[in-house]
Amino acid sequence: MTTTDDADGSVYVEIEGERQLLLPTALEACEGFEPVETSTDMACDDSGPIDGPWTGLALGELLTAAESPAAATHVLVTCRDGYRVCLDVTDALSAVLAFRRDGEPLDPDEIRVVGPGIDSGRSAKGVVRIEPVSLEAGTDPAEIEQLSPGADDAPEPPR
Ligand SMILES: Nc1nc2c(c(=O)[nH]1)N[C@H]1C(S)=C(S)[C@@H](COP(=O)(O)O)O[C@H]1N2
Ligand SMILES: [Mo]
């Protein structure tokens, strides 16, 4: 698990690329980006409806600002609890990194990726790192995910 702590103990969300972005975990502290709002119609047997409304930053804009390589096919999202999802780049580009739900700030543990192409199980919470990757044709993106942290059954992501 990758967590970035500065000398004050502050924690960031890292957006990897040719030019890494370190985002503070409060929306009002993220300068240079216009907040966006979205709702979802996700649901899960355990959780019930997961709908927002969410306020956050357009992930496509963050990836562009971080100079994500043009060859990226997928985006890996790593969470504080070791959860890791692999999103198709198309889904990532239309997603939102949500810092607020119902107008209320989310704890760093709850900051999450939401989007029209993202199902409830891949709506990663407690995001610490967002990283574009280029997978070879034929690679199953699910193979580099970790949806049961602690079970220790997934390989390390490519670097
Ligand atoms: N980091 C992390 N993100 C996660 C999970 C998790 O265990 N860890 N569970 C996923 C699953 S299976 C669901 S249904 C939703 C639940 O979101 P909720 O807690 O807002 O209901 O979060 C998803 N994101
Ligand atoms: Mo779930």
Side-chain angles (χ1 to χ4, degrees):
M1 168 160 90
T2 308
T3 305
T4 302
D5 286 86
D6 71 8
D8 305 324
S10 312
V11 179
Y12 298 94
V13 179
E14 302 180 359
I15 314 290
E16 303 297 338
E18 301 294 328
R19 184 170 153 261
Q20 185 198 54
L21 289 185
L22 293 179
L23 294 176
T25 54
L27 185 59
E28 63 277 11
C30 297
E31 289 169 7
F33 301 97
E34 205 53 51
V36 295
E37 195 159 321
T38 191
S39 292
T40 51
D41 58 2
M42 298 185 289
C44 171
D45 287 349
D46 298 332
S47 301
I50 310 168
D51 44 12
W54 313 98
T55 314
L57 301 177
L59 185 52
E61 285 184 26
L62 298 175
L63 291 167
T64 300
E67 296 177 16
S68 178
T73 60
H74 292 78
V75 172
L76 272 180
V77 183
T78 305
C79 305
R80 278 167 213 283
D81 61 358
Y83 208 77
R84 182 172 66 238
V85 303
C86 185
L87 303 175
D88 187 277
V89 74
T90 316
D91 292 334
L93 290 174
S94 59
V96 170
L97 179 63
F99 291 81
R100 294 182 193 153
R101 182 178 191 167
D102 263 326
E104 298 297 324
L106 294 168
D107 283 344
D109 280 358
E110 297 280 318
I111 291 172
R112 70 196 289 163
V113 173
V114 298
I118 300 174
D119 59 61
S120 56
R122 289 189 168 73
S123 175
K125 298 185 293 185
V127 174
V128 287
R129 188 156 193 261
I130 296 180
E131 175 189 11
V133 293
S134 182
L135 300 187
E136 280 176 44
T139 304
D140 178 2
E143 275 176 18
I144 55 170
E145 297 193 304
Q146 176 52 279
L147 305 183
S148 354
D152 212 20
D153 55 359
E156 284 300 302
R159 299 302 304 268

